[in-house]
């Protein structure tokens, strides 16, 4: 009963949301570095170059590049068994297409990984988390098949370099956001056509499969996961037309993971592409690349659920991680309007396991909320504790009652970081507070919140005390 003994408890971050030092030690500009600070309910502006007078949150982020020792020591104090981090491709291949890697970039991740290992923390590395080197612009980013090879070279470099030290890898963060946030997913403009997005997605799926195969050849102990932006949805009613509308939404979101977990494009997607007159840029031999690149496990982020039906077609465009379709009257919402649905996590775990029969891992979950420092200096974030506790309780049911093989749980943003959708610091997820505001003003001091001690006990008791 309960969580398995080797359950991977921990937290998850992304390079561009924590590191800062955006041009330090030879790092090149990444697509994330061109995203201007936005705000609740608005889309972030994306500029062609870094413009004076605009604030780009990734340039400084929370200065983890210089404070990683302090941050990882706090993760160790929390008792992390696992830390999900991402490597910034542009630290290692600054323009994306160099022949040789930037040694200083590798050195930074050497220090981070070695420190994690010294604390007994298992690293889980995302190779591409919402950032692509801007130097690949000259190829039109992922629309060009050449980028598959540049990515494979980068991946091969780091997988070889970290052989024996990093075993768990995710090829692309939330690969399905190519449909909703194409700039984040792969440097495609927000105005891209469906064809451009589907071509880029094809290249990413090919790249993912290549790297899985390559990674296994480098070390048979390596384990690769797909990573799905958890857009789970319920039908709006028992009206069969709503059931069909909901199914179509799920298909739009899930086909990427279908390819990664089953090794081929599903029929429903091939038929849709036909109807749309979109031809995938296939080459001879691609089928076997996809087949040989089936992942070992399926991971996902989970923040909210959607309600879809016959009238939700076309709404996908404005999705941007936010609510799609109908409002769910049974759910409370976060300050950012995301429907809070712990029970849906049990549903999601069952859904993915039953669809793929692969081990499942929750690699992101958490509550973005405004925190207040009390007069006595404490941060009483009971709302965050409640949110995570309720989700963990449902995850436990999925394991104990339903028998879903859940490998682990890494809470999103264990330390406050900049939000991906808006760039705000004030949308905080952490157990550790970072004293910086939306414009990056503040001391940068790290302060433990009430949830810090709570999560520490959860891990120490292996989920027995929630
Ligand atoms: C996921 C991303 O979409 O959601 C993270 O993988 C992101 O990078 C997280 O931070 C939460 O979204 P936001 O916009 O609140 O940061």
């Amino acid at each position: 009963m309960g969580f398995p003994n080797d359950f991977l408890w921990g937290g998850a971050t992304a390079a561009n949301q924590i590191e800062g030092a955006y041009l330090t030690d030879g790092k090149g500009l990444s697509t994330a570095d061109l995203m201007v600070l936005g705000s609740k309910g608005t889309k972030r502006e994306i500029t062609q170059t870094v413009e004076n007078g605009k604030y780009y949150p990734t340039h400084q982020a929370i200065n983890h590049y210089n404070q990683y020792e302090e941050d990882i020591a706090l993760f160790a104090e929390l008792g992390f068994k696992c830390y999900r981090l991402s490597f910034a491709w542009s630290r290692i291949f600054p323009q994306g297409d160099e022949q040789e890697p930037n040694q200083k970039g590798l050195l930074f991740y050497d220090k981070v990984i070695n420190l994690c290992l010294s604390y007994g923390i298992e690293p889980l590395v995302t190779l591409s988390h919402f950032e692509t080197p801007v130097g690949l612009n000259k190829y039109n980013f992922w629309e060009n098949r050449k980028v598959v090879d540049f990515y494979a070279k980068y991946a091969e470099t780091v997988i070889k370099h970290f052989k024996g030290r990093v075993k768990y890898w995710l090829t692309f963060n939330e690969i399905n956001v190519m449909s909703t946030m194409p700039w984040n997913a792969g440097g495609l403009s927000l105005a891209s056509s469906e064809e451009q997005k589907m071509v880029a997605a094809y290249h990413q799926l090919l790249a993912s499969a290549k790297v899985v195969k390559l990674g296994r050849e480098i070390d048979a102990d390596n384990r690769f996961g797909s990573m799905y932006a958890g857009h789970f949805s319920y039908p709006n009613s028992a009206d069969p037309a709503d059931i069909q509308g909901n199914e179509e939404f799920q298909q739009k979101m899930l086909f990427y993971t279908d390819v990664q977990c089953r090794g081929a494009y599903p029929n429903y997607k091939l038929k849709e592409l036909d109807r749309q007159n979109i031809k995938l840029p296939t080459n001879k031999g691609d089928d076997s690349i996809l087949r040989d690149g089936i992942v070992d496990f399926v991971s996902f982020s989970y923040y909210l659920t959607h309600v879809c039906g016959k009238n939700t077609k076309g709404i996908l465009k404005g999705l941007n991680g936010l609510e799609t379709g109908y409002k769910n009257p049974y759910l409370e919402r976060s300050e950012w309007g995301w429907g809070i649905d712990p029970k849906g996590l049990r549903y999601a775990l069952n859904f993915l396991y039953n669809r793929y029969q692969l081990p499942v891992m929750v690699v992101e979950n958490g509550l973005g909320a405004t925190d207040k420092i009390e007069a006595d200096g404490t941060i009483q974030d009971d709302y965050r504790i409640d949110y995570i506790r309720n989700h963990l309780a449902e995850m436990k049911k999925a394991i104990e009652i339903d028998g879903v093989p859940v490998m682990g749980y890494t809470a999103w943003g264990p330390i406050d970081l900049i939000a991906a959708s808006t760039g705000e610091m004030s949308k905080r997820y952490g157990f550790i507070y970072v004293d910086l505001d939306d414009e990056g003003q503040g001391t940068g001091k790290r302060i433990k919140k009430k949830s810090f001690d709570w999560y520490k006990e959860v891990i120490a008791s292996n989920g027995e005390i929630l």
Side-chain angles (χ1 to χ4, degrees), residues 14 17 84 129-130 173-174 177 181 227 229 301 303 338 364 368 412 417-422 427 429:
Q17 292 172 262
R84 173 182 173 224
H129 190 132
F130 288 0
N173 180 60
E174 297 192 334
V177 304
M181 296 154 68
M227 197 315 199
S301 59
Y303 296 96
W338 294 10
E364 286 187 32
W412 177 251
L417 39 69
I418 58 172
S421 55
T422 61
K427 190 180 186 189
Y429 285 88

PDB file of all heavy atoms in Angstrom, residues 14 17 84 129-130 173-174 177 181 227 229 301 303 338 364 368 412 417-422 427 429, ligand 1:
ATOM      1  N   ALA A  14      12.660  25.061 -15.131  1.00  0.00           N
ATOM      2  CA  ALA A  14      13.180  25.161 -16.505  1.00  0.00           C
ATOM      3  C   ALA A  14      14.268  26.216 -16.510  1.00  0.00           C
ATOM      4  O   ALA A  14      14.150  27.254 -15.841  1.00  0.00           O
ATOM      5  CB  ALA A  14      12.062  25.565 -17.462  1.00  0.00           C
ATOM      6  N   GLN A  17      13.543  29.914 -16.885  1.00  0.00           N
ATOM      7  CA  GLN A  17      12.699  30.516 -15.855  1.00  0.00           C
ATOM      8  C   GLN A  17      13.430  30.738 -14.535  1.00  0.00           C
ATOM      9  O   GLN A  17      12.899  31.365 -13.627  1.00  0.00           O
ATOM     10  CB  GLN A  17      11.442  29.670 -15.662  1.00  0.00           C
ATOM     11  CG  GLN A  17      10.513  29.731 -16.877  1.00  0.00           C
ATOM     12  CD  GLN A  17       9.345  28.760 -16.821  1.00  0.00           C
ATOM     13  OE1 GLN A  17       9.407  27.685 -17.411  1.00  0.00           O
ATOM     14  NE2 GLN A  17       8.286  29.129 -16.128  1.00  0.00           N
ATOM     15  N   ARG A  84      13.888  17.738 -11.403  1.00  0.00           N
ATOM     16  CA  ARG A  84      13.716  17.896 -12.847  1.00  0.00           C
ATOM     17  C   ARG A  84      14.185  19.300 -13.232  1.00  0.00           C
ATOM     18  O   ARG A  84      13.635  20.293 -12.743  1.00  0.00           O
ATOM     19  CB  ARG A  84      12.251  17.707 -13.251  1.00  0.00           C
ATOM     20  CG  ARG A  84      12.032  18.034 -14.712  1.00  0.00           C
ATOM     21  CD  ARG A  84      10.586  17.905 -15.174  1.00  0.00           C
ATOM     22  NE  ARG A  84      10.501  18.399 -16.535  1.00  0.00           N
ATOM     23  CZ  ARG A  84       9.550  19.200 -17.008  1.00  0.00           C
ATOM     24  NH1 ARG A  84       8.546  19.588 -16.234  1.00  0.00           N
ATOM     25  NH2 ARG A  84       9.579  19.622 -18.246  1.00  0.00           N
ATOM     26  N   HIS A 129      13.110  22.852 -23.141  1.00  0.00           N
ATOM     27  CA  HIS A 129      11.975  23.365 -22.376  1.00  0.00           C
ATOM     28  C   HIS A 129      11.706  24.804 -22.791  1.00  0.00           C
ATOM     29  O   HIS A 129      12.272  25.738 -22.242  1.00  0.00           O
ATOM     30  CB  HIS A 129      12.248  23.267 -20.879  1.00  0.00           C
ATOM     31  CG  HIS A 129      11.027  23.542 -20.024  1.00  0.00           C
ATOM     32  ND1 HIS A 129      10.638  22.725 -18.987  1.00  0.00           N
ATOM     33  CD2 HIS A 129      10.102  24.534 -20.059  1.00  0.00           C
ATOM     34  CE1 HIS A 129       9.536  23.205 -18.428  1.00  0.00           C
ATOM     35  NE2 HIS A 129       9.196  24.321 -19.056  1.00  0.00           N
ATOM     36  N   PHE A 130      10.868  24.979 -23.787  1.00  0.00           N
ATOM     37  CA  PHE A 130      10.407  26.297 -24.208  1.00  0.00           C
ATOM     38  C   PHE A 130      11.535  27.248 -24.588  1.00  0.00           C
ATOM     39  O   PHE A 130      11.445  28.450 -24.347  1.00  0.00           O
ATOM     40  CB  PHE A 130       9.564  26.957 -23.098  1.00  0.00           C
ATOM     41  CG  PHE A 130       8.207  26.353 -22.901  1.00  0.00           C
ATOM     42  CD1 PHE A 130       7.766  25.295 -23.667  1.00  0.00           C
ATOM     43  CD2 PHE A 130       7.335  26.866 -21.937  1.00  0.00           C
ATOM     44  CE1 PHE A 130       6.501  24.748 -23.483  1.00  0.00           C
ATOM     45  CE2 PHE A 130       6.073  26.326 -21.749  1.00  0.00           C
ATOM     46  CZ  PHE A 130       5.652  25.264 -22.523  1.00  0.00           C
ATOM     47  N   ASN A 173       9.688  19.461 -23.601  1.00  0.00           N
ATOM     48  CA  ASN A 173       8.656  19.835 -22.641  1.00  0.00           C
ATOM     49  C   ASN A 173       7.330  20.094 -23.365  1.00  0.00           C
ATOM     50  O   ASN A 173       7.304  20.793 -24.380  1.00  0.00           O
ATOM     51  CB  ASN A 173       9.065  21.123 -21.914  1.00  0.00           C
ATOM     52  CG  ASN A 173       8.022  21.571 -20.906  1.00  0.00           C
ATOM     53  OD1 ASN A 173       7.709  20.839 -19.963  1.00  0.00           O
ATOM     54  ND2 ASN A 173       7.445  22.751 -21.105  1.00  0.00           N
ATOM     55  N   GLU A 174       6.255  19.540 -22.856  1.00  0.00           N
ATOM     56  CA  GLU A 174       4.905  19.836 -23.365  1.00  0.00           C
ATOM     57  C   GLU A 174       4.882  19.944 -24.886  1.00  0.00           C
ATOM     58  O   GLU A 174       4.520  20.992 -25.454  1.00  0.00           O
ATOM     59  CB  GLU A 174       4.387  21.130 -22.724  1.00  0.00           C
ATOM     60  CG  GLU A 174       4.236  21.026 -21.221  1.00  0.00           C
ATOM     61  CD  GLU A 174       3.471  22.186 -20.612  1.00  0.00           C
ATOM     62  OE1 GLU A 174       3.467  23.277 -21.194  1.00  0.00           O
ATOM     63  OE2 GLU A 174       2.860  21.998 -19.541  1.00  0.00           O
ATOM     64  N   VAL A 177       2.224  21.756 -27.055  1.00  0.00           N
ATOM     65  CA  VAL A 177       1.926  23.187 -27.121  1.00  0.00           C
ATOM     66  C   VAL A 177       2.323  23.794 -28.474  1.00  0.00           C
ATOM     67  O   VAL A 177       2.087  24.981 -28.707  1.00  0.00           O
ATOM     68  CB  VAL A 177       2.517  24.027 -25.956  1.00  0.00           C
ATOM     69  CG1 VAL A 177       2.076  23.505 -24.617  1.00  0.00           C
ATOM     70  CG2 VAL A 177       4.017  24.139 -26.044  1.00  0.00           C
ATOM     71  N   MET A 181       1.044  27.292 -28.381  1.00  0.00           N
ATOM     72  CA  MET A 181       2.076  28.304 -28.104  1.00  0.00           C
ATOM     73  C   MET A 181       3.298  27.992 -28.964  1.00  0.00           C
ATOM     74  O   MET A 181       4.350  27.586 -28.453  1.00  0.00           O
ATOM     75  CB  MET A 181       2.450  28.277 -26.609  1.00  0.00           C
ATOM     76  CG  MET A 181       1.307  28.655 -25.674  1.00  0.00           C
ATOM     77  SD  MET A 181       1.486  27.935 -24.020  1.00  0.00           S
ATOM     78  CE  MET A 181       2.886  28.806 -23.387  1.00  0.00           C
ATOM     79  N   MET A 227       6.533  14.160 -22.777  1.00  0.00           N
ATOM     80  CA  MET A 227       6.024  15.116 -21.787  1.00  0.00           C
ATOM     81  C   MET A 227       4.846  15.852 -22.413  1.00  0.00           C
ATOM     82  O   MET A 227       5.005  16.602 -23.378  1.00  0.00           O
ATOM     83  CB  MET A 227       7.167  16.060 -21.389  1.00  0.00           C
ATOM     84  CG  MET A 227       7.002  16.862 -20.114  1.00  0.00           C
ATOM     85  SD  MET A 227       5.414  17.670 -19.853  1.00  0.00           S
ATOM     86  CE  MET A 227       5.840  18.872 -18.643  1.00  0.00           C
ATOM     87  N   ALA A 229       1.536  18.365 -22.186  1.00  0.00           N
ATOM     88  CA  ALA A 229       0.861  19.456 -21.454  1.00  0.00           C
ATOM     89  C   ALA A 229      -0.541  18.944 -21.161  1.00  0.00           C
ATOM     90  O   ALA A 229      -1.348  18.777 -22.068  1.00  0.00           O
ATOM     91  CB  ALA A 229       0.803  20.719 -22.287  1.00  0.00           C
ATOM     92  N   SER A 301       2.291  17.473 -17.362  1.00  0.00           N
ATOM     93  CA  SER A 301       2.041  18.558 -16.411  1.00  0.00           C
ATOM     94  C   SER A 301       0.547  18.562 -16.125  1.00  0.00           C
ATOM     95  O   SER A 301      -0.262  18.227 -16.993  1.00  0.00           O
ATOM     96  CB  SER A 301       2.456  19.901 -17.006  1.00  0.00           C
ATOM     97  OG  SER A 301       1.734  20.156 -18.195  1.00  0.00           O
ATOM     98  N   TYR A 303      -2.318  21.042 -14.237  1.00  0.00           N
ATOM     99  CA  TYR A 303      -2.720  22.239 -13.475  1.00  0.00           C
ATOM    100  C   TYR A 303      -4.228  22.400 -13.441  1.00  0.00           C
ATOM    101  O   TYR A 303      -4.771  22.960 -12.502  1.00  0.00           O
ATOM    102  CB  TYR A 303      -2.128  23.501 -14.115  1.00  0.00           C
ATOM    103  CG  TYR A 303      -0.625  23.533 -14.075  1.00  0.00           C
ATOM    104  CD1 TYR A 303       0.135  23.099 -15.159  1.00  0.00           C
ATOM    105  CD2 TYR A 303       0.045  23.981 -12.935  1.00  0.00           C
ATOM    106  CE1 TYR A 303       1.516  23.112 -15.113  1.00  0.00           C
ATOM    107  CE2 TYR A 303       1.433  24.003 -12.891  1.00  0.00           C
ATOM    108  CZ  TYR A 303       2.160  23.559 -13.977  1.00  0.00           C
ATOM    109  OH  TYR A 303       3.530  23.573 -13.929  1.00  0.00           O
ATOM    110  N   TRP A 338      -7.327  29.411 -13.456  1.00  0.00           N
ATOM    111  CA  TRP A 338      -7.175  28.002 -13.823  1.00  0.00           C
ATOM    112  C   TRP A 338      -8.056  27.143 -12.894  1.00  0.00           C
ATOM    113  O   TRP A 338      -7.958  27.256 -11.669  1.00  0.00           O
ATOM    114  CB  TRP A 338      -5.700  27.567 -13.726  1.00  0.00           C
ATOM    115  CG  TRP A 338      -4.798  28.242 -14.739  1.00  0.00           C
ATOM    116  CD1 TRP A 338      -5.125  29.291 -15.554  1.00  0.00           C
ATOM    117  CD2 TRP A 338      -3.444  27.917 -15.046  1.00  0.00           C
ATOM    118  NE1 TRP A 338      -4.062  29.624 -16.352  1.00  0.00           N
ATOM    119  CE2 TRP A 338      -3.018  28.813 -16.076  1.00  0.00           C
ATOM    120  CE3 TRP A 338      -2.531  26.966 -14.578  1.00  0.00           C
ATOM    121  CZ2 TRP A 338      -1.725  28.768 -16.609  1.00  0.00           C
ATOM    122  CZ3 TRP A 338      -1.249  26.930 -15.129  1.00  0.00           C
ATOM    123  CH2 TRP A 338      -0.854  27.816 -16.130  1.00  0.00           C
ATOM    124  N   GLU A 364       4.961  18.056 -13.424  1.00  0.00           N
ATOM    125  CA  GLU A 364       4.615  19.441 -13.057  1.00  0.00           C
ATOM    126  C   GLU A 364       3.225  19.428 -12.458  1.00  0.00           C
ATOM    127  O   GLU A 364       2.302  18.841 -13.031  1.00  0.00           O
ATOM    128  CB  GLU A 364       4.578  20.369 -14.280  1.00  0.00           C
ATOM    129  CG  GLU A 364       5.900  20.741 -14.832  1.00  0.00           C
ATOM    130  CD  GLU A 364       5.798  21.790 -15.942  1.00  0.00           C
ATOM    131  OE1 GLU A 364       4.881  22.635 -15.902  1.00  0.00           O
ATOM    132  OE2 GLU A 364       6.638  21.731 -16.844  1.00  0.00           O
ATOM    133  N   GLY A 368      -0.091  28.486  -8.854  1.00  0.00           N
ATOM    134  CA  GLY A 368       0.477  29.822  -9.018  1.00  0.00           C
ATOM    135  C   GLY A 368      -0.391  30.791  -8.224  1.00  0.00           C
ATOM    136  O   GLY A 368      -1.583  30.920  -8.500  1.00  0.00           O
ATOM    137  N   TRP A 412       5.848  21.670  -9.556  1.00  0.00           N
ATOM    138  CA  TRP A 412       6.382  22.745 -10.392  1.00  0.00           C
ATOM    139  C   TRP A 412       6.887  23.908  -9.540  1.00  0.00           C
ATOM    140  O   TRP A 412       6.224  24.307  -8.578  1.00  0.00           O
ATOM    141  CB  TRP A 412       5.333  23.275 -11.394  1.00  0.00           C
ATOM    142  CG  TRP A 412       5.917  24.428 -12.169  1.00  0.00           C
ATOM    143  CD1 TRP A 412       5.588  25.749 -12.067  1.00  0.00           C
ATOM    144  CD2 TRP A 412       7.004  24.353 -13.116  1.00  0.00           C
ATOM    145  NE1 TRP A 412       6.396  26.499 -12.904  1.00  0.00           N
ATOM    146  CE2 TRP A 412       7.268  25.662 -13.552  1.00  0.00           C
ATOM    147  CE3 TRP A 412       7.777  23.298 -13.629  1.00  0.00           C
ATOM    148  CZ2 TRP A 412       8.275  25.968 -14.480  1.00  0.00           C
ATOM    149  CZ3 TRP A 412       8.785  23.599 -14.552  1.00  0.00           C
ATOM    150  CH2 TRP A 412       9.008  24.922 -14.966  1.00  0.00           C
ATOM    151  N   LEU A 417       9.747  31.198  -9.422  1.00  0.00           N
ATOM    152  CA  LEU A 417      10.448  31.455 -10.683  1.00  0.00           C
ATOM    153  C   LEU A 417       9.536  32.292 -11.567  1.00  0.00           C
ATOM    154  O   LEU A 417       8.400  32.572 -11.195  1.00  0.00           O
ATOM    155  CB  LEU A 417      10.861  30.129 -11.346  1.00  0.00           C
ATOM    156  CG  LEU A 417       9.894  28.930 -11.291  1.00  0.00           C
ATOM    157  CD1 LEU A 417       8.681  29.144 -12.131  1.00  0.00           C
ATOM    158  CD2 LEU A 417      10.615  27.663 -11.717  1.00  0.00           C
ATOM    159  N   ILE A 418      10.019  32.652 -12.726  1.00  0.00           N
ATOM    160  CA  ILE A 418       9.163  33.500 -13.574  1.00  0.00           C
ATOM    161  C   ILE A 418       8.169  32.630 -14.331  1.00  0.00           C
ATOM    162  O   ILE A 418       8.500  31.540 -14.795  1.00  0.00           O
ATOM    163  CB  ILE A 418       9.982  34.409 -14.518  1.00  0.00           C
ATOM    164  CG1 ILE A 418      10.877  33.577 -15.416  1.00  0.00           C
ATOM    165  CG2 ILE A 418      10.785  35.436 -13.731  1.00  0.00           C
ATOM    166  CD1 ILE A 418      11.538  34.400 -16.485  1.00  0.00           C
ATOM    167  N   ALA A 419       6.949  33.118 -14.456  1.00  0.00           N
ATOM    168  CA  ALA A 419       5.882  32.335 -15.090  1.00  0.00           C
ATOM    169  C   ALA A 419       6.117  32.281 -16.597  1.00  0.00           C
ATOM    170  O   ALA A 419       6.533  33.271 -17.215  1.00  0.00           O
ATOM    171  CB  ALA A 419       4.533  32.955 -14.791  1.00  0.00           C
ATOM    172  N   ALA A 420       5.820  31.119 -17.177  1.00  0.00           N
ATOM    173  CA  ALA A 420       6.027  30.963 -18.617  1.00  0.00           C
ATOM    174  C   ALA A 420       4.975  31.737 -19.413  1.00  0.00           C
ATOM    175  O   ALA A 420       5.286  32.368 -20.416  1.00  0.00           O
ATOM    176  CB  ALA A 420       5.987  29.488 -19.000  1.00  0.00           C
ATOM    177  N   SER A 421       3.735  31.705 -18.952  1.00  0.00           N
ATOM    178  CA  SER A 421       2.676  32.318 -19.754  1.00  0.00           C
ATOM    179  C   SER A 421       2.710  33.839 -19.701  1.00  0.00           C
ATOM    180  O   SER A 421       2.396  34.497 -20.682  1.00  0.00           O
ATOM    181  CB  SER A 421       1.304  31.808 -19.314  1.00  0.00           C
ATOM    182  OG  SER A 421       1.126  32.008 -17.936  1.00  0.00           O
ATOM    183  N   THR A 422       3.104  34.401 -18.570  1.00  0.00           N
ATOM    184  CA  THR A 422       3.055  35.858 -18.434  1.00  0.00           C
ATOM    185  C   THR A 422       4.417  36.502 -18.164  1.00  0.00           C
ATOM    186  O   THR A 422       4.583  37.704 -18.359  1.00  0.00           O
ATOM    187  CB  THR A 422       2.129  36.262 -17.263  1.00  0.00           C
ATOM    188  OG1 THR A 422       2.678  35.689 -16.066  1.00  0.00           O
ATOM    189  CG2 THR A 422       0.716  35.767 -17.462  1.00  0.00           C
ATOM    190  N   LYS A 427       3.374  35.456  -9.880  1.00  0.00           N
ATOM    191  CA  LYS A 427       2.647  34.180  -9.950  1.00  0.00           C
ATOM    192  C   LYS A 427       3.586  33.119  -9.372  1.00  0.00           C
ATOM    193  O   LYS A 427       4.388  32.515 -10.077  1.00  0.00           O
ATOM    194  CB  LYS A 427       2.264  33.858 -11.394  1.00  0.00           C
ATOM    195  CG  LYS A 427       1.309  32.679 -11.506  1.00  0.00           C
ATOM    196  CD  LYS A 427       0.929  32.374 -12.946  1.00  0.00           C
ATOM    197  CE  LYS A 427      -0.144  31.289 -12.997  1.00  0.00           C
ATOM    198  NZ  LYS A 427      -0.386  30.811 -14.366  1.00  0.00           N
ATOM    199  N   TYR A 429       4.926  29.747  -7.323  1.00  0.00           N
ATOM    200  CA  TYR A 429       4.612  28.329  -7.122  1.00  0.00           C
ATOM    201  C   TYR A 429       5.408  27.718  -5.968  1.00  0.00           C
ATOM    202  O   TYR A 429       5.141  26.613  -5.548  1.00  0.00           O
ATOM    203  CB  TYR A 429       4.963  27.527  -8.382  1.00  0.00           C
ATOM    204  CG  TYR A 429       3.996  27.708  -9.534  1.00  0.00           C
ATOM    205  CD1 TYR A 429       4.165  28.735 -10.465  1.00  0.00           C
ATOM    206  CD2 TYR A 429       2.910  26.848  -9.694  1.00  0.00           C
ATOM    207  CE1 TYR A 429       3.284  28.893 -11.527  1.00  0.00           C
ATOM    208  CE2 TYR A 429       2.031  27.003 -10.757  1.00  0.00           C
ATOM    209  CZ  TYR A 429       2.219  28.021 -11.669  1.00  0.00           C
ATOM    210  OH  TYR A 429       1.338  28.172 -12.711  1.00  0.00           O
TER     211      TYR A 429
HETATM  212  C1  LIG B   1       3.917  24.553 -18.044  1.00  0.00           C
HETATM  213  C2  LIG B   1       5.338  24.805 -18.411  1.00  0.00           C
HETATM  214  O1  LIG B   1       3.180  24.888 -19.168  1.00  0.00           O
HETATM  215  O2  LIG B   1       3.307  25.312 -17.084  1.00  0.00           O
HETATM  216  C3  LIG B   1       6.111  25.609 -17.409  1.00  0.00           C
HETATM  217  O3  LIG B   1       6.026  23.617 -18.725  1.00  0.00           O
HETATM  218  C4  LIG B   1       5.222  26.683 -16.818  1.00  0.00           C
HETATM  219  O4  LIG B   1       7.248  26.123 -18.034  1.00  0.00           O
HETATM  220  C5  LIG B   1       4.052  26.008 -16.121  1.00  0.00           C
HETATM  221  O5  LIG B   1       5.879  27.561 -15.982  1.00  0.00           O
HETATM  222  C6  LIG B   1       3.112  26.935 -15.385  1.00  0.00           C
HETATM  223  O6  LIG B   1       2.674  27.956 -16.208  1.00  0.00           O
HETATM  224  P1  LIG B   1       2.881  29.459 -15.799  1.00  0.00           P
HETATM  225  O7  LIG B   1       2.473  30.256 -16.941  1.00  0.00           O
HETATM  226  O8  LIG B   1       2.044  29.682 -14.595  1.00  0.00           O
HETATM  227  O9  LIG B   1       4.340  29.586 -15.507  1.00  0.00           O
END
